[in-house]
Amino acid sequence: MSDVLPRRGAETRENLMAAAETAVLQKGFAATSIDELIAAVGITKSGFFYHFKGKNELAKALLQRYIDSEEALLDDLFRRGDELHEDPLHGFLVGLKMFAEMMQDLPNGHPGCLVASYCYQENLFSQDIRTLNTEAVLAWRARFRERLDLIVEQYPPKSDVDLDALADMVTVLVDGGIILSKVAHDTQILPQQIMLFRDYVRLIFLGT
Amino acid sequence: MSDVLPRRGAETRENLMAAAETAVLQKGFAATSIDELIAAVGITKSGFFYHFKGKNELAKALLQRYIDSEEALLDDLFRRGDELHEDPLHGFLVGLKMFAEMMQDLPNGHPGCLVASYCYQENLFSQDIRTLNTEAVLAWRARFRERLDLIVEQYPPKSDVDLDALADMVTVLVDGGIILSKVAHDTQILPQQIMLFRDYVRLIFLGT
DNA sequence: TGTACATCAGTGAACGCGCGTTCACTGATGTAC
DNA sequence: TGTACATCAGTGAACGCGCGTTCACTGATGTAC
């Protein structure tokens, strides 16, 4: 008996973060207690402090993980859109369509955006966490702005449009769409809003 | 000496709520303590419990007050827009312009939306508060949907568009725009997004 | 006009519980020689 | 191959503080007669 166990510290840490992310998105960071996380994972309180120096470090690791995974998801999404289309505009439109479909297929709707959650609890967090948050949204702006610059080269817009604002609109619609989906209990709102953005982009650059 | 003081219970209550709203928008409801509110207002803890049965009742009163004031603000805004234009479309466009300008003129940006804040701390609140929140966003949808119905009568849209989704887009852009303005430290994002919506509406119904 | 009572807008002290954090310790696994 | 030591992944007990809530009480203002 008594098998040789592999070292599963990384797994425990991952389980803690998964439990924390769910709890934070549902009731906020301040109301998420270490006690409930260790109960979910099945270790003692001291075990938690082995993995994280304190609650603040958990908050930071959580946000970093979230940002990284969003980055990877968007990279993958629009890369796939481009594989189906040479053209930067149509590749973008395809990517947006796939994005909307992905959001549509989440059975319980999008679980929530940590950036938005942290935004409304800003004062709980240290400066480095806030900076992380700011840099995340600026990176999203840069990402979509870059794409719009490529599009503009080939498709001069009908009316002149602020490209930074249009790039921000993706993030704005996603964060706002998640909120409305949650509050209205209607998982379709978020994908609908992405499709409206897609329609707007078409009107701007194709006129139809 | 010892002037006859008027009864200022209502004023104390109002001061408590103002302090609470600011604190909640900055760090969330759970992290907002009764102690800090009474310190800001200058009464004792028992004084707080004279005005509110408990923290939950404060949460509810806060949200109700916020929803009522938003309702009044939007009523006023679009009524003024309509006074400048017979036409429902152009009245709407003027109202949106005024809305954007109003947001632009807030020196520190929009202080935040309680509906969005509560959304990311849903599990803290009793069912009646969540219902209040849901009804608020549905009322906003109904408000703008009603307007869009009037517009469609006179201006058949170029492409067919989901009017409920378009109505929701106002709320989505405002809630998302507030978040991005806060996180990016750029007060202009919110008004820019409203102007983009205005542009989109123009493209849909006027084609230009 | 005076008096009794009711209401308003609080005070002051105490409560118990849950929270994040610290500290000394431990047994299993891995590594150097 | 055996042994010594280091690291990993925790345990268990204790801490003090802040939190929301309760309760009995109070003094100023308003109202009925």
Side-chain angles (χ1 to χ4, degrees), chain B residues 49-65:
Chain B
F49 283 92
Y50 172 74
H51 287 287
F52 302 98
K53 267 188 200 140
K55 227 190 154 190
N56 185 68
E57 207 190 67
L58 169 66
K60 189 169 178 180
L62 224 49
L63 182 59
Q64 186 67 64
R65 189 182 81 131

Side-chain angles (χ1 to χ4, degrees), chain B residues 73-88:
Chain B
L73 185 144
L74 291 175
D75 278 348
D76 179 61
L77 198 64
F78 289 100
R79 189 189 40 69
R80 279 163 49 212
D82 284 336
E83 278 168 8
L84 297 172
H85 258 286
E86 289 295 293
D87 181 26

Side-chain angles (χ1 to χ4, degrees), chain B residues 164-177:
Chain B
D164 272 336
L166 190 60
D168 282 340
M169 201 176 195
V170 182
T171 308
V172 167
L173 287 173
V174 170
D175 274 341

